[in-house]
Amino acid sequence: MPADVVPSARSDSSGDKTLIILRHAKSDWPTGVPDHDRPLGGRGNREAPEAGRWLAGRNLYPDMILCSDAVRTRQTCTWVCSELGEKAPTPYLDSRLYEADAARALAVINETEERVRTLMVIGHMPWVQDLGMRIASVESDEEAVVSMAERYPTLGLQVFRIQGEWATLDGRDARMTQFTVPRP
């Protein structure tokens, strides 16, 4: 199996869980629109489906999606779910993920039920990058961690393998296997 292919966590018998952290696609900056209400721009609407195609191409189908309630994250989520098709779960909007810091985002993740084997979280800078730096273990793919740490553009996507419970995820206890920026 190629290194960038991860078996579906739904059929995984190893006990590991998968965490996918996605930064929203490129947004627009319309005059007079509050930050929370900013939509995706043209580039964001063209590129956002690529994240869903990337996941489906690697058989990574989330059991649960947590999404910031900001317009640009919701629109990104809609594009991703469209590409995941009938395997896409109904996303949960969580207002705590908007303007969160890494600790707040992690606290939201810690509430995830153990029956969830693959969790996707869609959010914003800087917490998506800060959280990745906080939880990446020493067993992580070094190239992926360095790439994520140096530059985290819109539609940046991290994939982690986690042993243990969601509630105990805290720091340096998730193995980053991928960092990518899916583009058409």
Side-chain angles (χ1 to χ4, degrees):
M1 181 178 303
D4 67 340
V5 175
V6 179
S8 172
R10 292 179 187 203
S11 62
D12 183 18
S13 61
S14 70
D16 284 359
K17 292 188 263 318
T18 302
L19 173 63
I20 303 161
I21 300 174
L22 177 66
R23 182 181 178 195
H24 62 79
K26 184 72 174 167
S27 61
D28 197 5
W29 291 88
T31 304
V33 174
D35 182 73
H36 185 272
D37 298 333
R38 287 192 300 118
L40 292 181
R43 184 178 121 198
N45 282 304
R46 286 188 304 276
E47 293 178 350
E50 289 299 320
R53 283 193 277 277
W54 188 91
L55 292 167
R58 284 148 186 83
N59 203 30
L60 274 172
Y61 293 95
D63 299 313
M64 180 178 185
I65 298 175
L66 293 173
C67 183
S68 161
D69 67 345
V71 170
R72 59 193 177 274
T73 49
R74 293 185 348 236
Q75 290 175 328
T76 299
C77 185
T78 297
W79 283 115
V80 168
C81 288
S82 175
E83 293 300 321
L84 296 177
E86 62 187 38
K87 292 185 178 182
T90 300
Y92 293 92
L93 300 180
D94 196 314
S95 61
R96 296 173 297 172
L97 294 174
Y98 176 70
E99 293 188 338
D101 60 13
R104 166 65 69 179
L106 181 57
V108 171
I109 292 168
N110 289 151
E111 295 172 2
T112 304
E113 295 179 17
E114 283 305 304
R115 64 178 174 75
V116 174
R117 306 309 296 167
T118 301
L119 173 65
M120 181 174 197
V121 185
I122 304 174
H124 310 269
M125 280 293 279
W127 74 253
V128 291
Q129 184 179 42
D130 293 345
L131 180 58
M133 295 301 298
R134 177 176 175 165
I135 65 174
S137 71
V138 295
E139 292 86 21
S140 294
D141 179 286
E142 184 177 351
E143 185 177 321
V145 173
V146 169
S147 180
M148 179 271 301
E150 288 179 344
R151 183 172 176 269
Y152 203 119
T154 53
L155 212 62
L157 186 148
Q158 304 171 71
V159 179
F160 293 91
R161 297 295 287 170
I162 298 168
Q163 296 179 333
E165 299 177 354
W166 292 114
T168 62
L169 182 63
D170 184 32
R172 304 284 178 249
D173 48 359
R175 182 173 52 89
M176 182 186 288
T177 60
Q178 294 280 317
F179 177 73
T180 190
V181 183
R183 298 283 191 229

